[in-house]
Amino acid sequence: MRLTCPFCGSRGVEEFTYRGDATVRRPAGDAGAAAWVDYVYLRDNPAGPHQELWYHGAGCRSWLVVTRDTRTHLISDVRAARAVAQAEREEGAV
Amino acid sequence: MQTDRYSLFALLREAMRGNTGWKPAWRKAAPAPAYDYVIVGGGGHGLATAYYLARRYGGQRIAVVEKGWIGGGNVGRNTTIVRSNYLLPGNEPFYECAMKLWEGLEQDINYNAMVSQRGVLNLFHNDAQRGAYIRRGNAMRLHGVDAELLDAQAVREKVPFLNFDDARFPIRGGLLQRRGGTVRHDAVAWGYARAADRLGVDIIENCEVTGIRIEGGRAMGVETTRGFIGAGKLGLACAGNSSRVAAMAGLRLPIESHVLQAFVSEGIKPFIDCVVTFGAGHFYISQSDKGGLVFGGDIDGYNSYAQRGNLPVIEDVCEGGMALMPRIGRVRLLRHWGGIMDMSMDGSPIIDHTPVQGLYLNAGWCYGGFKATPASGLCFAHLLARDEPHPVATAYRLDRFARGAVIDEKGMGAQPNLH
């Protein structure tokens, strides 16, 4: 499996570290136990396209949001996590 | 119901008549409209559950539905190791229950599962690990389980071919459980299937669950590729795919599915007569009766349902093997494969009710499901029949994450940094 880092190009997966589901969002500090349990422990764990965080530790040390099919390991999209977060913030501001 | 038992007499009789009298080990059952118990998943755990339900809890009208064929999933994809060398009080009695069931399994189900108590040896390489293994061994002995601490000399006498004087990871000793060993994994699936079938359980292969019918907060049965099957009680034992099936009932689980690879070498002469695990990396190895070295290591580490992994982990596993026993370096790899693991968030399993009435869950086995097979079946059968957890499985609750009562045996799980 190879990931195409937006900064470094196509690199072997051994350069990256996996951090799991990229769609979970940290709840507010006073959100209550149920929201925190959900955030820390529960996952959709889909069989199909999965948005996930990878860290390019042996490269540019960027956090990436990768869309990968968990049934085939085919990667359809790689974006910098920073860009994804910025887009999300702008969407929230509108 | 117990007819055509396998025995020396049956073997002689069939030898005399040209092996024409053997019957299929289990019927190809077609689904009935409804059952008292429906188990989703015809792997080791599902079949064992059906068997113990029928055998020990007087369950009747039981069906096991399997999307593929018996023996095609994780029960045929593991490294066949059985052991009960756990530390925590929530785990050790459960795995010892499994070990005792393994010891009597072949007589119980009348099937040669090649149970071989050849010993499991966990090596340590420094003082801190020695301390941890002394503690683990003592915890095991307090639960009445055998554990022996070997020093370097004793390990040398038992397995002389290891890399003892490695500059980085010298072998200082090991914790040995002599009652641990290996069991022929396919035979476990076939044996439980046959034994359950003899007790009237319908084993329905090529029957994939596509939905769970819920009415008034209660599970009524499963929609399948072979039609609706009604269930008095519905048990899910489909580790690897637990999240997908539970999602059909609207549940989200504390589980990620990950791929674990395993390996077999070409057959060589008898070489390793026990199971050896490396303490400085993740590597475990034994030798099958055919002579192949059976070994494995870590999960690949990313969500996957693909049943195949990637090369960096193969390299990592082989490096572990070379660090431990350099003499296997010239042995050629024959096969390797991947299985899909339910990685629960604390590395421990779940055998519990769910918020949906009549729906029960057996999941989260991480990469330790095979050794647990008999006890998992027994405890899940107990839960299904009695509606209360079996005494050795009271810690495996689904709500333990919310209660902060996680079972942190090794700091494993999908993401070790969660605890």
Side-chain angles (χ1 to χ4, degrees):
Chain A
M1 198 158 80
R2 293 178 75 81
L3 297 180
T4 304
C5 173
F7 308 107
C8 310
S10 174
R11 296 298 182 101
V13 73
E14 63 270 29
E15 290 190 6
F16 299 83
T17 307
Y18 184 70
R19 184 61 182 87
D21 195 329
T23 62
V24 293
R25 292 290 172 269
R26 182 188 289 265
D30 57 357
W36 276 93
V37 167
D38 198 277
Y39 167 67
V40 176
Y41 294 114
L42 303 186
R43 296 291 179 268
D44 289 336
N45 192 18
H50 186 236
Q51 276 190 50
E52 53 201 24
L53 287 165
W54 290 81
Y55 175 62
H56 197 183
C60 61
R61 295 198 263 168
S62 304
W63 282 95
L64 307 174
V65 175
V66 175
T67 308
R68 187 179 55 96
D69 194 314
T70 57
R71 294 165 303 185
T72 59
H73 297 169
L74 287 179
I75 292 150
S76 55
D77 188 37
V78 184
R79 284 185 288 161
R82 178 187 292 268
V84 173
Q86 264 167 0
E88 218 170 77
R89 214 171 299 138
E90 281 161 23
E91 216 168 88
V94 170
Chain B
M1 298 291 279
Q2 194 84 4
T3 54
D4 56 300
R5 282 180 62 81
Y6 292 157
S7 65
L8 182 60
F9 172 73
L11 202 62
L12 292 173
R13 185 191 63 209
E14 291 307 321
M16 303 295 272
R17 57 184 199 189
N19 290 308
T20 52
W22 298 118
K23 292 180 187 152
W26 61 89
R27 296 165 290 130
K28 295 282 176 216
Y35 295 89
D36 292 342
Y37 300 95
V38 173
I39 314 295
V40 179
H45 292 220
L47 293 166
T49 302
Y51 170 71
Y52 291 115
L53 255 179
R55 179 70 185 257
R56 298 208 182 180
Y57 294 94
Q60 298 193 340
R61 302 206 311 145
I62 303 165
V64 176
V65 295
E66 165 57 43
K67 71 174 174 179
W69 67 92
I70 297 304
N74 287 339
V75 73
R77 290 171 180 270
N78 52 74
T79 47
T80 79
I81 297 165
V82 300
R83 58 187 175 85
S84 58
N85 53 358
Y86 280 70
L87 173 69
L88 299 180
N91 277 330
E92 182 59 7
F94 173 82
Y95 286 100
E96 178 58 13
C97 169
M99 183 55 78
K100 290 209 172 94
L101 288 167
W102 284 123
E103 288 173 329
L105 180 76
E106 293 165 315
Q107 298 304 315
D108 192 19
I109 63 175
N110 180 229
Y111 203 93
N112 179 12
M114 295 164 67
V115 175
S116 166
Q117 293 182 286
R118 58 183 70 183
V120 172
L121 177 64
N122 302 131
L123 299 173
F124 55 79
H125 307 267
N126 55 45
D127 284 347
Q129 278 187 321
R130 179 195 279 117
Y133 274 138
I134 290 171
R135 179 170 174 235
R136 178 176 296 259
N138 286 340
M140 290 164 65
R141 293 169 75 113
L142 284 171
H143 281 106
V145 180
D146 69 307
E148 266 173 71
L149 195 80
L150 305 186
D151 60 15
Q153 187 54 37
V155 173
R156 222 179 258 272
E157 280 160 21
K158 187 168 173 57
V159 274
F161 45 81
L162 301 181
N163 188 13
F164 284 89
D165 302 316
D166 185 77
R168 199 165 165 210
F169 304 121
I171 293 166
R172 302 294 193 205
L175 184 69
L176 175 66
Q177 186 185 21
R178 290 191 191 275
R179 286 164 63 242
T182 61
V183 181
R184 171 80 199 280
H185 52 356
D186 298 316
V188 173
W190 301 331
Y192 270 124
R194 175 173 173 272
D197 177 84
R198 295 292 185 279
L199 294 170
V201 172
D202 278 357
I203 296 165
I204 307 161
E205 293 171 85
N206 300 308
C207 180
E208 183 168 0
V209 169
T210 54
I212 295 174
R213 189 181 290 179
I214 297 172
E215 286 171 15
R218 186 177 178 83
M220 307 304 289
V222 285
E223 310 284 354
T224 76
T225 49
R226 297 176 70 175
F228 176 76
I229 303 172
K233 289 181 176 177
L234 181 60
L236 308 184
C238 38
N241 286 290
S242 297
S243 295
R244 291 176 63 198
V245 181
M248 295 173 191
L251 302 176
R252 285 175 87 219
L253 301 180
I255 285 172
E256 284 182 2
S257 296
H258 284 249
V259 60
L260 175 68
Q261 305 188 66
F263 310 84
V264 169
S265 78
E266 61 187 330
I268 57 175
K269 286 184 177 178
F271 166 44
I272 306 171
D273 66 355
C274 61
V275 179
V276 183
T277 74
F278 186 35
H282 200 164
F283 178 81
Y284 39 90
I285 188 165
S286 65
Q287 188 168 19
S288 79
D289 292 353
K290 281 195 291 189
L293 301 177
V294 184
F295 57 96
D298 269 322
I299 54 173
D300 269 39
Y302 45 80
N303 287 47
S304 176
Y305 286 93
Q307 291 191 321
R308 60 189 160 74
N310 270 288
L311 289 170
V313 166
I314 297 178
E315 194 177 359
D316 182 62
V317 170
C318 292
E319 281 170 356
M322 286 302 289
L324 180 65
M325 42 179 83
R327 70 160 49 183
I328 65 173
R330 300 290 292 274
V331 174
R332 285 170 296 188
L333 197 62
L334 186 67
R335 286 181 286 132
H336 95 281
W337 64 92
I340 302 307
M341 313 288 119
D342 267 12
M343 295 307 292
S344 68
M345 292 298 175
D346 63 352
S348 296
I350 297 158
I351 305 176
D352 202 0
H353 303 88
T354 70
V356 179
Q357 235 189 330
L359 181 67
Y360 302 78
L361 180 67
N362 176 326
W365 290 97
C366 297
Y367 35 72
F370 178 70
K371 73 175 90 70
T373 303
S376 167
L378 181 70
C379 294
F380 200 36
H382 186 99
L383 178 73
L384 282 160
R386 304 257 174 93
D387 264 313
E388 61 182 24
H390 189 281
V392 300
T394 51
Y396 299 149
R397 310 305 294 269
L398 181 56
D399 67 355
R400 67 174 183 266
F401 301 93
R403 287 185 289 114
V406 293
I407 310 166
D408 189 7
E409 177 78 30
K410 282 184 79 184
M412 293 280 187
Q415 300 252 346
N417 56 348
L418 283 181
H419 34 126

